[in-house]
Each structure stands twice: as structure tokens, then as C-alpha cells.
């Protein structure tokens, strides 16, 4: 299975980016994860949506080529980061490469609640008319106090979290098989 990963943070030392890299390593024998970088995307602009810059075409191409999309987001001010909303806006227009494409969501933060509010907002956006991405219900990952659950290299070291992610990945793979 090929999964595009969209990380909602562009910070170099982002815990969410580290989580994406950890997933790529841990599940390499089951899933091909490819990070679809949102850093080079310009602000969404309806004036150029019919002939977007190369960065937008490349980003949309990675999403279109994937079997599913994994959204890994931090939480900023009780919601998703602006850079992630911008990426979603590009995906929701013209060719709408997300329509019907399955999604799943994870997120990590230093706070105790993880990214509960951000994921709630992200789910609403994923169900919007321009995106309409199906989600497996109750299969989200909220990693709170992530700085205590990763080592300095970005590897998860908290066994209960690792076990839960294993369960979520298995649930998603099973769900994807039933969709074929």
C-alpha cells in the first residue's frame, strides 16, 4: 500500500515530522510512506489555480498517486496550522485529487491532550465538498507529552504508544483491504 503523508508542521525539528519518519521506518515492510512536503506550496490563490506553480502540481501528483493519505498534524491555537489549511485548500480545487481517497489522522504535541482539537477540525475539512475523504472512525492517534515519548533521534520509546499505533496501523490496513 502506498500512503502519502502530509505533515502539518514545517519546523525542522517537528515532533510530527519525526513521527512520520518513525512510521516510515517501523512499517517499511507493510506500507510505502512518502512525505508530500507542504513547505514549498504558495498561498492558495484562485487567480492561479488553473495553472498552478510546479510545487502545487508535484504535491497534488503525490496525493493522486497514493492509495491513501496520512495526515500528521500539530495543534496551533486549538486548530490545524495555517500551512496545513493552505495545502488542503489547494487539494480541494480544480482536479480535487482527494475526492474519495481514504485518509487517517495522527498528531503529536507536548500538551497532555495531544492534538484532539486540531484533529476534530481536520476531520470537518476532510468531509467538506471539495475533499470528501472517507475516514475509518475511531482510529485516530493523539500523542500527548510527545517530548517524553521520543528519544533525541525521534524514535518513539513509549511502549504503550507504540502498541497503540501498531493497532491503528493494523486497523487501517484491514479497512483498506475491505474497500477493494
Amino acid at each position: 500500500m502506498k500512503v502519502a503523508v502530509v505533515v502539518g508542521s514545517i519546523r525542522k525539528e517537528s515532533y510530527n515530522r519525526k513521527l512520520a519518519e518513525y512510521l516510515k521506518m517501523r512499517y517499511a515492510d507493510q506500507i510505502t510512506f512518502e512525505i508530500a512536503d507542504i513547505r514549498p506550496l504558495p498561498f492558495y490563490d484562485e487567480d492561479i489555480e488553473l495553472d498552478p506553480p510546479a510545487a502545487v502540481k508535484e504535491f497534488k501528483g503525490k496525493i493522486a498517486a497514493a492509495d491513501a493519505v496520512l495526515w500528521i498534524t500539530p495543534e496551533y491555537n486549538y486548530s490545524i496550522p495555517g500551512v496545513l489549511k493552505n495545502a488542503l485548500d489547494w487539494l480541494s480545487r480544480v482536479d480535487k485529487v482527494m475526492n474519495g481517497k481514504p485518509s487517517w489522522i495522527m498528531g503529536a504535541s507536548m500538551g497532555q491532550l495531544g492534538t484532539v482539537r486540531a484533529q476534530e477540525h481536520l476531520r470537518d475539512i476532510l468531509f467538506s465538498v471539495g475533499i470528501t475523504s472517507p475516514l475509518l472512525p475511531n482510529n485516530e492517534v493523539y500523542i500527548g507529552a510527545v517530548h517524553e515519548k521520543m528519544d533525541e533521534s525521534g524514535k518513539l520509546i513509549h511502549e504503550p504508544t507504540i502498541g497503540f499505533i501498531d493497532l491503528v496501523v493494523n486497523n487501517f490496513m484491514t479497512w483498506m483491504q475491505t474497500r477493494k
Side-chain angles (χ1 to χ4, degrees):
M1 179 177 10
K2 184 175 180 182
V3 175
V5 182
V6 179
V7 179
S9 173
I10 58 174
R11 186 173 70 90
K12 289 178 186 171
E13 293 299 317
S14 163
Y15 288 113
N16 289 280
R17 175 150 317 258
K18 289 177 181 181
L19 176 58
E21 295 297 338
Y22 174 78
L23 296 171
K24 282 176 65 173
M25 177 199 65
R26 182 163 180 86
Y27 305 105
D29 61 335
Q30 302 168 49
I31 301 171
T32 301
F33 287 108
E34 181 179 5
I35 295 177
D37 191 9
I38 62 175
R39 181 180 282 277
L41 295 177
F43 288 124
Y44 168 75
D45 182 348
E46 191 173 357
D47 289 339
I48 62 171
E49 73 178 7
L50 296 177
D51 188 23
V56 173
K57 291 177 184 175
E58 181 181 335
F59 175 69
K60 287 180 127 182
K62 285 182 180 180
I63 300 300
D67 298 313
V69 179
L70 172 58
W71 306 89
I72 304 180
T73 186
E75 183 170 296
Y76 294 175
N77 301 311
Y78 298 164
S79 191
I80 62 172
V83 292
L84 181 55
K85 177 62 168 75
N86 183 58
L88 287 155
D89 288 344
W90 278 113
L91 293 172
S92 72
R93 303 293 293 189
V94 187
D95 48 1
K96 300 179 183 179
V97 297
M98 280 300 301
N99 276 350
K101 189 170 298 285
S103 287
W104 45 329
I105 306 172
M106 294 185 184
S109 76
M110 293 173 62
Q112 292 303 312
L113 293 178
T115 59
V116 171
R117 293 178 194 103
Q119 289 191 37
E120 181 178 341
H121 290 173
L122 180 55
R123 274 191 299 279
D124 286 344
I125 296 166
L126 292 172
F127 291 143
S128 69
V129 174
I131 297 180
T132 59
S133 177
L135 289 161
L136 176 61
N138 304 312
N139 204 51
E140 301 87 9
V141 174
Y142 311 104
I143 303 175
V146 67
H147 58 292
E148 298 171 1
K149 297 175 181 171
M150 279 186 178
D151 65 17
E152 290 180 15
S153 73
K155 180 181 178 190
L156 277 173
I157 55 172
H158 187 250
E159 289 300 324
T161 300
I162 295 167
F164 183 72
I165 291 173
D166 286 345
L167 176 66
V168 165
V169 169
N170 186 57
N171 289 344
F172 189 79
M173 290 176 58
T174 300
W175 182 62
M176 288 294 290
Q177 289 298 322
T178 64
R179 294 180 52 80
K180 292 184 177 184

